[in-house]
Amino acid sequence: MKLKDWISPFYVWKRAFEKPFTVPKPLDERPGSSRYRGFHKNDLEKCIGCGTCSSICQNHAIDMVPVEGIETTKGDSGLRPRIDYGRCCWCALCVDICPTTSLSMSNEYLWIDTDAEVFRFIPGAENKPWDNVQEGYTREESYHIVDPERVTMEMLPPDERVKSFLEMVKGYSREQAQKEADRCIQCGICTATCPAHMDIPGYIKAVRENNIKDGLKLMYETNPMPAMCGRVCTHQCEDVCALGHSGDPISIRWLKRYLADQVELDDYAKAMLVAIDSNGKHVAIIGAGPGGLSAAYYLRLLGYDITIYEAKDYAGGMTRYGIPEYRLPYDQLDKDISYILSLGINIQYNTRVGEDITFEQVYTSFDAVLISVGLLTPYKMEIPGEELPGNISGLEVLDMVTRGEKVYFGNRVAVIGGGNVAMDAARTARTFGADVTLLYRRRIEDMPADEEEIIDAEHEKVEFITQAIPLRIEQTEDNKLRFIFGLAEMVDQGDEKRPRPVLIEGKEHSIDVDMVISAIGQGADFSFLPMHYEALFSRRNQLKIDEFCRTNDPKIFAAGDIANKTKDAISAIADGHRAAKTIDHMLQKEGI
Amino acid sequence: MKELLQRLSDRFSLKEITYQRDNLIFITVEKSNVIPFITHLKQHENFSHLVMIGAVDYIENGTFQLTYLLHNYSLHADIGVRVHVQRENPVMESIHTIWAQARTYQREIREMFGIDFPGSPDVDKPFLLEGWQNIPPMRKDFDTLKYSQETYFPRSGRKHYDPQNYMKQKLYPDKEPE
Ligand SMILES: Cc1cc2nc3c(=O)[nH]c(=O)nc-3n(C[C@H](O)[C@H](O)[C@H](O)COP(=O)(O)OP(=O)(O)OC[C@H]3O[C@@H](n4cnc5c(N)ncnc54)[C@H](O)[C@@H]3O)c2cc1C
Ligand code: SF4
Ligand code: SF4
């Protein structure tokens, strides 16, 4: 060891007593300016984990990661952004794009640590001194990278609408559709909420890039009725769209319609290019509503020979005989159905199982049977006078109008109910020129009907009476019907439950009308099933069905409105797809 | 400012005028007019202070836009003199003889956008980016993401979950009946 090595430590010690050249922290406080882009903050409650901050970051500084205590739910991925400050350049693009405005920056800029790993952190999840600093950078109200407003859809004005059954929604042009598609940030939060889990970002991208055929194919992977769904779907996806947090959600439904509208039926086969190898097995489907049709489509693609038994003279179920033409023109429904049937599916119209052919016959001649008979029996109000002529169910009215039968609505109609059937019946009666009063036992906000339906009905001058409890129907001297009802008060049922309407005794109200249309719900009709299938039921009129659409008879499966809670077309389609996969699985594996 | 603008338009051909505020206007002039125009503003209209020179890449038009921001202390007003320079072989006359500090701005713009200012002192010396090999980084065709991926390593232990797939895993994973 050299002499110098011995001396230098002491040399350093000597220096220790001199005035240092470096300036120790803390410096005098020098806060960043009020809009300074300092360290990130994130309001974890507001953030939905859409990952757009991560996608836009030009430095790949952001990862989306699970955070303890944050659940994945519909509309929230449960992930939260984690930022690597080794890469961030503080450009604030992530803050500018954040659709919930949860992400922001404080004006703090000093953070000193000897451990480099701490600079990769989850804003909001790890306590930081700047979490509660008000100042810093937020997106300015008026500044938007993405247009917060959707491209308006042209509609027939209400006074035109009530004159005919012309389709009221006009559809997007190519420019409009591409502009709307351009707003999509492609986060995919919506996909989990769609009952069929359609690849929504995928087909919206196809619209944007004008890859119409690819878009159509993509839709058919999970939904073989896009022209129908593109018009009347309940679009739960739009309720969770990330953009809905600070503007209009993407018009997902109209974009789906746009794609389906771009391809002529004659060109579907060319676009889809499916090849089917029959596998020699036979599946029977009872009911040609969306549930049955969807199962038929996917089973056929898997090579099954399909026979559908349908009681009516056309396919489509409630989407044909329920939904009115101004919302879903028949030629559009037929386009979806024709393509499905064109794959070589045998359909027996006017064949009601239980009447024209027994269930037993069906059961024994096929390898598997799918029941998808929908809910066709309207519930009764259970009030005196219900049997009087002039009182009719919403389903019956809509069915008659669809079949072109004459319906006498008269001048004044009372519609009872608050669901989609009630709205459709009320608006149909308006189209026939009647004044319509809709009575519902709860409040407007409790109505199960889609919000748009309620608004459209209001625009078309349907009068609403809420908290009205039906008491009885009487015949008046001038041969009209007197609908007598009481009013209800809403009684709180505690947190989780919705308030219950309770009749205020003693006071009665009435309206005199030409027709009473009751639309308070409908149930299934399983009378076609012989007695010894009792074991299929959990309760009266309720089949026991597992998450794979199986009943407890290994050959019988169920799908559609009878098998799901949401009871809309897309859920029936999703069920049909699920049932198809299960049937395939069971038939291939177990050879039942 | 109104009268000032009148005086200016009598002497020069002004291509485009944008009133930003009472005390801020932007005037676009031809490239060949920039030096006389700026000199005039400084010497005759009291815009004695060069606040900054800015550049924007309008790749879609094939041009860069330069903005010379000049301040008038007595009016408390600014004029931004704008000029478009072709993106192909971009060259602009230097103004370091009018304001000496312009050399620094010009050196920075040379580095960040690749616009040359022949004669400007040290204009080719690196400003911030020592050893830069790539196209000038403020050009719109510079791919920031690609560059940062090639140049910087991600911290160890980084992991990213795609929201759409993650939600599928959590909420509706593929399952088969037994
Ligand atoms: C008025 C109205 C409006 C609606 N509006 C909307 C809407 O806007 N958006 C939306 O998403 N959903 C809407 N729905 C709901 C949607 O129509 C249903 O969820 C969907 O049609 C259910 O499909 P499914 O296949 O289960 O049954 P269904 O569509 O009901 O089809 C059942 C089929 O089975 C046939 N069938 C029944 N029994 C037998 C038998 N024994 N033998 C042979 N065939 C039989 C029936 O004739 C029918 O064709 C509406 C429903 C109604 C009634
Ligand atoms: S963009 Fe906003 S809402 Fe989406 S994950 Fe990032 S911080 Fe959360
Ligand atoms: S500030 Fe810019 S660089 Fe930093 S994380 Fe956000 S987008 Fe990425």
Side-chain angles (χ1 to χ4, degrees), chain A residues 99-224:
Chain A
T100 65
T101 65
S102 68
L103 199 64
S104 63
M105 282 158 145
S106 68
N107 69 343
E108 259 323 308
Y109 59 90
L110 280 179
W111 181 6
I112 299 165
D113 206 299
T114 49
D115 178 9
E117 296 308 319
V118 305
F119 295 104
R120 196 185 57 216
F121 81 118
I122 305 171
E126 301 162 30
N127 288 341
K128 294 290 174 210
W130 53 83
D131 282 348
N132 296 317
V133 170
Q134 279 307 305
E135 279 168 330
Y137 184 80
T138 50
R139 176 169 62 83
E140 254 181 84
E141 274 297 310
S142 58
Y143 174 62
H144 297 281
I145 297 183
V146 174
D147 193 339
E149 278 169 39
R150 57 166 61 175
V151 175
T152 346
M153 175 57 79
E154 237 184 286
M155 299 211 200
L156 285 183
D159 50 337
E160 288 285 319
R161 273 189 269 177
V162 295
K163 285 187 209 145
S164 74
F165 280 92
L166 283 181
E167 182 164 31
M168 53 182 261
V169 174
K170 298 206 168 154
Y172 280 148
S173 68
R174 176 165 158 193
E175 287 74 43
Q176 288 174 318
Q178 282 181 323
K179 188 164 173 233
E180 182 62 15
D182 221 16
R183 297 172 63 229
C184 172
I185 52 180
Q186 300 274 301
C187 66
I189 285 275
C190 45
T191 295
T193 302
C194 170
H197 307 304
M198 295 189 75
D199 183 359
I200 298 165
Y203 71 72
I204 291 185
K205 188 158 173 238
V207 173
R208 185 166 66 217
E209 294 170 356
N210 202 33
N211 290 328
I212 301 298
K213 283 183 186 165
D214 292 347
L216 193 74
K217 252 166 89 175
L218 203 54
M219 294 199 297
Y220 268 81
E221 281 178 14
T222 43
N223 181 350

Side-chain angles (χ1 to χ4, degrees), chain A residues 60 63-64 120 547 585, chain B residues 149 156 158 160-161 175 177:
Chain A
H60 269 197
D63 291 324
M64 297 304 297
R120 196 185 57 216
E547 55 176 324
H585 183 86
Chain B
Q149 268 167 334
S156 63
R158 281 192 57 168
H160 172 75
Y161 298 80
K175 270 199 276 180

Side-chain angles (χ1 to χ4, degrees), chain A residues 42 47-53 64 81 98-100 102-103:
Chain A
N42 194 10
C47 172
I48 55 168
C50 68
T52 317
C53 48
M64 297 304 297
C98 173
T100 65
S102 68
L103 199 64

Side-chain angles (χ1 to χ4, degrees), chain B residues 50-106:
Chain B
L50 171 69
V51 182
M52 61 146 202
I53 310 176
V56 180
D57 181 1
Y58 284 105
I59 191 167
E60 61 276 32
N61 305 333
T63 57
F64 293 111
Q65 177 187 272
L66 288 172
T67 302
Y68 300 83
L69 197 64
L70 314 181
H71 185 71
N72 178 322
Y73 283 103
S74 45
L75 292 177
H76 286 300
D78 295 272
I79 289 182
V81 179
R82 283 175 173 163
V83 59
H84 295 284
V85 180
Q86 285 308 309
R87 225 170 159 273
E88 194 116 332
N89 274 326
V91 181
M92 184 62 205
E93 256 178 277
S94 171
I95 59 160
H96 72 278
T97 47
I98 312 176
W99 283 281
Q101 76 271 30
R103 60 187 274 183
T104 310
Y105 292 113
Q106 291 174 165

Side-chain angles (χ1 to χ4, degrees), chain A residues 214-348:
Chain A
D214 292 347
L216 193 74
K217 252 166 89 175
L218 203 54
M219 294 199 297
Y220 268 81
E221 281 178 14
T222 43
N223 181 350
M225 302 189 77
M228 181 268 282
C229 285
R231 289 173 166 78
V232 300
C233 184
T234 44
H235 59 77
Q236 300 163 47
C237 51
E238 293 181 19
D239 296 343
V240 297
C241 173
L243 292 190
H245 290 264
S246 59
D248 298 336
I250 301 283
S251 294
I252 301 173
R253 179 174 56 171
W254 300 147
L255 290 177
K256 175 166 35 251
R257 166 179 169 168
Y258 169 80
L259 270 179
D261 284 1
Q262 298 322 298
V263 186
E264 299 287 336
L265 179 59
D266 293 345
D267 298 329
Y268 265 44
K270 256 188 278 156
M272 235 75 83
L273 290 174
V274 297
I276 295 168
D277 285 331
S278 282
N279 64 14
K281 298 207 166 168
H282 303 271
V283 178
I285 294 174
I286 308 177
L293 288 169
S294 155
Y297 176 80
Y298 291 109
L299 281 168
R300 184 71 195 125
L301 290 191
L302 290 166
Y304 292 88
D305 284 326
I306 309 294
T307 301
I308 306 181
Y309 294 100
E310 169 54 55
K312 301 240 180 194
D313 40 11
Y314 289 99
M318 278 305 171
T319 54
R320 180 185 305 274
Y321 293 98
I323 301 175
E325 196 179 2
Y326 56 81
R327 290 208 288 133
L328 175 59
Y330 301 126
D331 58 341
Q332 294 305 324
L333 180 62
D334 284 333
K335 188 175 168 191
D336 282 342
I337 296 173
S338 304
Y339 178 65
I340 296 174
L341 297 182
S342 76
L343 301 181
I345 288 164
N346 173 19
I347 181 162
Q348 313 261 326

Side-chain angles (χ1 to χ4, degrees), chain A residues 232 287 289-291 310-311 317-318 327 353 373-374 376 398 424 560-561 568-569:
Chain A
V232 300
E310 169 54 55
M318 278 305 171
R327 290 208 288 133
V353 175
V373 292
L376 307 185
L398 293 167
D424 282 336
D561 277 359
D568 55 7

